Every structure is written in C-alpha cells, then in structure tokens.
C-alpha cells in the first residue's frame, strides 16, 4: 500500500514539474518574441522610407522628416538615433513622447563627397529595449556633377 502511495505522489510531482517546465518555456519564448521582433515599438510612423529627388555632390545638405505617433499607453523615451553613414545626422524633436502624442525625427543628409545611388538607414532606439524600435530608410541618388 505504501508503494502505491509513493508511486502516486511521484506521478503528481512529475506532472507538476512538467507543467512548470512547459510554462517556463512558453513565457521565455514570448519574452524573446517581444525583444527580438523588429519594429516592435509603440511608435507608429507615417512613413519609414523616403526616396529623395536626385541630388548633386555640390548641393547643400537637405533635411527629411519622419513623423510618428506614440500609439501605446505609456510614455516612450527616445534614447538615441544612429545612422548608417556619417553623411546623415538624425535627431528627434522630442526626447519623450507621451501616449497619443506626435513627434518628428529629422534626418539631415549631406551629399558632398557621396556620389552614387544607395540607401541610408536610421535606427531609432527607445527605453523599450536594446534593439531598434524602428528602422527608417532614406534612398538617395547623388550625381557627380
């Protein structure tokens, strides 16, 4: 009789451990999806890709804007903005965007000494994680004239 009770207890304990393991794996997978999902931020951009008119290497710098809205229920802090080339400098008009508020990221592009057709990427980082909350693209064609 004691062996049957010990066997039943072992089955119950094994079931509890298996359930805990499944829940742990499930929660871990959900957390990884949140962290690694691209553009998983609460920032909703009007456009993420701007194609500029053809420029000359002799043109003055031009500024392009990417408008966005915080669609979440908490404020979002813009931690930093990085570009894929030193020919582009990006900045936000607000460092903290409250729920429902709109803001703008401006990208100043200097075509001097950058002839060719290419895309420049702008990475927007927030207090929501280590991965970019958004990746913006600026397509340019700079002629050597």
């Amino acid at each position: 009789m004691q062996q049957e009770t010990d066997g039943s207890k072992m089955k119950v304990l094994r079931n509890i451990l298996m359930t805990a393991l499944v829940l742990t794996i499930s929660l871990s997978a959900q957390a990884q999806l949140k962290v690694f999902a691209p553009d998983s931020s609460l920032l909703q951009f009007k456009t993420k890709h701007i194609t500029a008119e053809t420029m000359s290497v002799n043109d003055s710098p031009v500024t392009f804007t990417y408008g966005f809205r915080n669609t979440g229920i908490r404020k979002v802090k813009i931690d930093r903005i990085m570009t894929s080339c030193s020919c582009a400098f990006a900045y936000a008009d607000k460092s903290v965007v409250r729920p429902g508020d709109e803001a703008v990221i401006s990208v100043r592009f200097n075509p001097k000494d950058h002839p060719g057709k290419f895309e420049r990427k702008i990475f927007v980082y927030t207090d929501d994680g280590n991965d970019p909350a958004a990746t913006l693209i600026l397509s340019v064609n700079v002629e050597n004239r």
Side-chain angles (χ1 to χ4, degrees), residues 63-77:
T63 300
F64 301 92
T65 58
Y66 298 82
F68 67 93
R69 174 188 298 274
N70 177 352
T71 59
I73 58 172
R74 68 169 185 84
K75 65 182 178 182
V76 175
K77 181 177 182 263

Side-chain angles (χ1 to χ4, degrees), residues 54-105:
T54 300
M55 298 180 229
S56 165
V57 292
N58 298 317
D59 286 346
S60 298
V62 180
T63 300
F64 301 92
T65 58
Y66 298 82
F68 67 93
R69 174 188 298 274
N70 177 352
T71 59
I73 58 172
R74 68 169 185 84
K75 65 182 178 182
V76 175
K77 181 177 182 263
I78 307 294
D79 281 342
R80 68 187 187 282
I81 304 172
M82 299 176 64
T83 63
S84 62
C85 178
S86 63
C87 61
F89 173 75
Y91 55 95
D93 67 338
K94 296 179 183 177
S95 61
V96 175
V97 185
R98 299 193 181 286
D101 282 356
E102 294 187 354
V104 173
I105 292 179

Side-chain angles (χ1 to χ4, degrees), residues 30-44 70-80 95-97 124-134:
Q30 289 176 2
Q32 286 179 357
L33 285 175
K34 181 182 184 306
V35 171
F36 295 113
D39 292 349
S40 62
S41 169
L42 304 172
L43 307 181
Q44 182 178 25
N70 177 352
T71 59
I73 58 172
R74 68 169 185 84
K75 65 182 178 182
V76 175
K77 181 177 182 263
I78 307 294
D79 281 342
R80 68 187 187 282
S95 61
V96 175
V97 185
V124 182
Y125 294 87
T126 67
D127 58 347
D128 198 25
N130 294 328
D131 294 326

